[in-house]
Amino acid sequence: MITVTLPDGSTKQVESGAPAKAVAEAISPRLADAALAAVVDGKVVDLAYPLHQDAKVQIVTNKSPEALEVYRHSTAHLLAAAVTNLFPGTQCGIGPPLDDGFYYDFVVERPFVPEDLEAIEKKMKDLAAQDFVFERQLWPRDRAIDFFKKRGEPLKVQLIEEKTAGQSEVSVYTIKDKETFVDFCVGPHVPSTGKLKAFKLTTTSNAYWKGDAKNQPMQRVYGTAFFSQKELDEHVTRLEEAKKRDHRKVGRELGLFAFHPWAPGAGFWTGKGATLYNTLADYMRGKLFPAGYQEVKTPIVYNKELWVTSGHWSHYRENMFLVKSADGDEMALKAMNCPGHYLLYSTEKHSYKEMPIRFHEQTPLHRNEASGVLGGLTRVRQFSQDDGHCFVMESQIASEVEALLRLIQGIYKDFGLEYTAKLSTRPEKFIGEVELWDRAEAALKEALDKSGQPYAINRGDGAFYGPKIDFDITDAIGRKWQCATIQLDYVAPERFDLKYVGADNAEHRPVVIHRAIFGSFERFIAILIEHFAGAFPMWLAPLQVIVLPIADRHLEYAAEVRALLDKAGLRATLDDRQEKVNYKIREAQLQKIPYMLVVGDREAADRAVAVRSRAKGDLGARPLDRFVTDALAEVTSKALS
Ligand SMILES: [Zn+2]
Ligand SMILES: [Zn+2]
């Protein structure tokens, strides 16, 4: 007998050689039924995995964080089994799980058409219903290579040769249907196809073996899988909603920004788009100035020496735009503000009395991304960040980070964004003393606890130069985006020889805190467009009010209304085209302008406006003064609807 230790610290005895599933059975029949895989001494394995020695065992059910990946990868095999069953002679590539599903690559005679996907999905359901066992077998390596060679699968042969060099045996899986599907894989998988309850094939695309366009062209089939039909349906609805909200589409419809092939990955902001951009920029200034930040401006182009000192020249050069000065010096456009801020800090002597010193900057940054990966505002070559660096004494870390956490909480609240935080701790490769890291991590924890911010811990995921806190925001349709970050840095102050004079009159090293809340403005705007589906709340809307005269004779009063709105500081426009007012309303509605003010004879006589809200429809006539007061109050309160 061997002893297994369960996550709660209790133990169970099982026969030596018993499968991991026996542990689930020893706990309860219900757990055995719900089990999908197991974690044995930290490794995710099949339920059939034999236990030969004492071990820590955890049973994976659909509640476990490891489960979805195993489930989706297993569904990818089901897809491959269905494809090879329906299209004999198809060669299989690889089939990994993804954040929102899975894919499998195939070499096929002709590209798949939508009817093929329907047939494949039907076949998958059929194979799932028959509840075939995912059986792992260890084959002698030669036999496996021979098998896949004979079956006309040179890609699998290549995979085996690359991934199992020096091994005598290789791991293959079968799904025991009548064609006996066999695939080279190390697993793990769910115990049988019957566990795969809810999946859907979503799309196909062209792919290449190993993602290299020089290699064999393949067809990639994408799918997604969830533990229940309800979750799957919700996901499909979310995908459709995401398509409708796509910032590239909405941005075009609202006329916010454009791109041109001569400046790939750099947005052209229209008047409306630039207004939105500047509204966010000014909003952030309004938050940071009272929090003790100085807005600074540092150069865009720097001599190579700076990048050598910062370490970017050796590690990051290919991501930067390199230029030559008139004197022939090698220069590079900045891809981040940090090194410039260190130079700025070093231009003066600093005393402990000034600390913390906080810089923030919104000037443009450039990253030399390959044009193939650019798309909309989420991946760009030119962007600006609400980038900031705080220079603090070690004793100030906890209070500074706590203040930052409160700032972040307030800002996300203004946008109605839900978020989660995670603390990433010392990685395997790190610089500095272990005690220093321990102190830094303790300071971050103290700040998180004091601010009341719930957080998860990502053990070992910190940067090599210090621990960090990252924030994921969740948008209106449940998607997560990584945005704010707070990173401690002990390395940069050394490299740039940053100093301050302490109370003891001696020189000390400050600690640098890199922090951003929006991240890049471009990406944050993309997130906001999709979060609000283009219907920005009043305080953010690039155009807040549109005045719509019913007939030409109302133009004079309409212009007066518009002028009054302008004077009050509202972003207003006047639609003076000779179109029917209903047509103008429809257009303004499509432009998602929060308020439409219709003016005719009666409004002109009463100095009133007939108010139409984008969200609530006709609100009736109101004195003009009262509309202005209400609208300004809505802007000031940052009401979200
Ligand atoms: Zn597999
Ligand atoms: Zn930085």
Side-chain angles (χ1 to χ4, degrees), residues 336-339 341-342 385 387-389 489 512-515:
M336 63 286 297
N337 290 306
C338 336
H341 287 185
Y342 308 149
Q385 289 184 333
D387 196 9
H389 296 92
D489 190 340
V512 166
I513 303 176
H514 306 254
R515 34 70 60 217

Side-chain angles (χ1 to χ4, degrees), residues 103-291:
Y103 71 80
Y104 213 113
D105 286 344
F106 302 100
V107 181
V108 281
E109 280 176 17
R110 58 161 180 85
F112 290 124
V113 294
E115 294 74 46
D116 294 333
L117 288 198
E118 276 171 38
I120 296 165
E121 197 177 299
K122 193 163 167 286
K123 187 76 193 171
M124 288 168 73
K125 286 188 176 138
D126 190 36
L127 295 175
Q130 294 179 68
D131 201 16
F132 295 117
V133 172
F134 274 95
E135 188 185 296
R136 183 167 189 237
Q137 298 175 356
L138 287 174
W139 289 6
R141 189 163 178 268
D142 294 348
R143 178 180 156 207
I145 289 175
D146 206 43
F147 173 86
F148 286 106
K149 233 180 226 166
K150 280 205 183 111
R151 212 169 68 171
E153 298 224 39
L155 301 180
K156 287 281 164 191
V157 173
Q158 196 184 329
L159 278 183
I160 295 172
E161 281 171 345
E162 286 170 8
K163 299 210 166 188
T164 66
Q167 283 174 224
S168 58
E169 285 183 319
V170 302
S171 164
V172 298
Y173 275 85
T174 72
I175 302 174
K176 291 279 186 75
D177 71 344
K178 51 186 180 300
E179 269 76 23
T180 315
F181 173 77
V182 181
D183 204 349
F184 161 64
C185 186
V186 289
H189 305 109
V190 299
S192 65
T193 60
K195 295 280 184 201
L196 306 171
K197 303 274 187 219
F199 46 81
K200 184 178 170 59
L201 298 182
T202 47
T203 178
T204 60
S205 75
N206 294 322
Y208 296 95
W209 176 236
K210 295 186 170 172
D212 188 338
K214 288 194 270 317
N215 288 343
Q216 180 149 23
M218 303 185 82
Q219 275 272 297
R220 175 167 300 177
V221 179
Y222 285 99
T224 190
F226 287 87
F227 298 123
S228 71
Q229 191 61 40
K230 183 170 169 274
E231 287 169 285
L232 176 62
D233 291 345
E234 282 167 4
H235 177 76
V236 171
T237 311
R238 213 158 42 226
L239 283 186
E240 283 162 9
E241 194 53 43
K243 222 183 232 172
K244 273 191 246 158
R245 289 168 180 248
D246 188 321
H247 74 276
R248 291 165 294 189
K249 175 174 163 281
V250 176
R252 196 168 49 243
E253 288 163 0
L254 299 185
L256 298 176
F257 57 86
F259 287 94
H260 192 280
W262 287 353
F268 289 74
W269 295 90
T270 63
K272 274 168 82 182
T275 300
L276 175 61
Y277 205 119
N278 292 337
T279 302
L280 289 168
D282 289 339
Y283 166 82
M284 190 51 86
R285 290 187 175 106
K287 289 283 174 187
L288 293 182
F289 185 73

